[in-house]
Amino acid sequence: MIPPKDRVIMVSGANRGIGLAVARCLIGRGYRVSLGARDVTALDPAKVGAKAEQAACFPYDALDLGLAKTWVAGTLERFGRIDGLVNNAGIAKPPFTIDDEDETVLDRMISVNIKGPLRLIRLAMPHLVKCGAGRVVNVASLSGKRVKNPNVGYAMTKFALIALTHAVRRQGWDHGVRATAICPSFVRTDLTADVQAVAPEDMIQPADLAELVATALSLPNNAVVAEMLVNCRLEDLF
């Protein structure tokens, strides 16, 4: 396993839900983290249990290429390197169905769920290559592996995110860059607050999913998992 000492990981959507759990988990393991979120006022190293020298917080909106560039540049200025990137920021609502003629919602999903991660990967890639063991973890979904509800827009973007993950693996392999798509079922966050098919206590807990993200970041170059399908009920097994 790759030791966390001195390694710097960028985490998007880090102010709540899965992203916050990932930040706390990585801090606990000894990583240095660069946290990005739209609500930068909610970001605070103390919130994730970090010492001042262990974490940095930056405004990030997946719709804004300029903020992506500023975040990457700020991370390099603060820590001098980038060893990993966790693309967690994403949206699922409002839903987009096949029958919807207005494609505004779909366009936003594509921009946030696909173009956002793509831009960060492109900007971080030279630095991931430089470290020789760069890691990209894309938080996708089981909706990127099968379709079980009318929200085709979300499924389409998560399928695409998994494709992006494999493209990163292909391009970065000879340079030590590895990529993993984490594909969970329902996770207990505000995103699933209105879900009735699964009780909140039966959903995947963010802290548990964060452990899997941390594992993906630490696996050695010769033993990396390309996709992790994470289930909370039997019906989600495919």
Side-chain angles (χ1 to χ4, degrees):
M1 305 290 275
I2 302 173
K5 188 179 186 312
D6 297 327
R7 284 175 68 81
V8 177
I9 311 297
M10 296 177 63
V11 182
S12 70
N15 63 323
R16 58 192 177 91
I18 295 171
L20 179 58
V22 169
R24 286 173 170 162
C25 178
L26 297 183
I27 287 294
R29 292 194 178 202
Y31 288 94
R32 293 181 291 173
V33 296
S34 178
L35 309 176
R38 285 183 298 170
D39 184 9
V40 72
T41 60
L43 286 176
D44 184 341
K47 187 176 181 180
V48 294
K51 299 177 181 178
E53 67 273 13
Q54 199 176 6
C57 304
F58 297 90
Y60 171 68
D61 188 324
L63 297 171
D64 191 330
L65 175 58
L67 284 178
K69 291 179 177 179
T70 301
W71 182 20
V72 170
T75 302
L76 292 169
E77 182 178 357
R78 173 67 183 276
F79 296 114
R81 59 189 291 168
I82 297 173
D83 300 276
L85 169 63
V86 179
N87 282 307
N88 165 70
I91 57 174
K93 301 172 184 176
F96 178 84
T97 72
I98 290 174
D99 296 326
D100 290 334
E101 293 185 5
D102 185 349
E103 298 177 355
T104 304
V105 168
L106 176 62
D107 291 340
R108 183 176 177 83
M109 281 188 182
I110 290 172
S111 294
V112 173
N113 294 353
I114 305 173
K115 293 179 70 174
L118 172 62
R119 289 167 171 171
L120 286 176
I121 291 167
R122 183 172 64 241
L123 292 167
M125 184 63 84
H127 311 287
L128 299 175
V129 167
K130 184 177 180 180
C131 78
R135 295 291 179 270
V136 174
V137 177
N138 292 325
V139 179
S141 169
L142 282 182
S143 291
K145 301 298 294 182
R146 83 289 191 267
V147 178
K148 293 190 70 174
N149 61 63
N151 190 359
V152 67
Y154 182 69
M156 288 166 63
T157 57
K158 291 303 183 177
F159 267 79
L161 184 59
I162 293 173
L164 175 60
T165 304
H166 287 284
V168 173
R169 293 180 68 246
R170 183 177 183 276
Q171 179 171 322
W173 191 269
D174 291 341
H175 305 286
V177 177
R178 303 290 184 264
T180 301
I182 307 285
C183 305
S185 179
F186 296 110
V187 182
R188 188 175 183 176
T189 67
D190 57 355
L191 194 68
T192 58
D194 60 347
V195 171
Q196 298 181 353
V198 180
E201 63 272 18
D202 292 331
M203 294 182 182
I204 300 162
Q205 302 304 302
D208 295 329
L209 195 69
E211 291 289 339
L212 294 178
V213 173
T215 297
L217 290 169
S218 65
L219 290 171
N221 284 6
N222 59 351
V224 175
V225 181
E227 297 181 11
M228 294 188 190
L229 276 61
V230 189
N231 309 101
C232 69
R233 58 181 184 176
L234 181 61
E235 290 79 8
D236 282 332
L237 289 171
F238 283 87

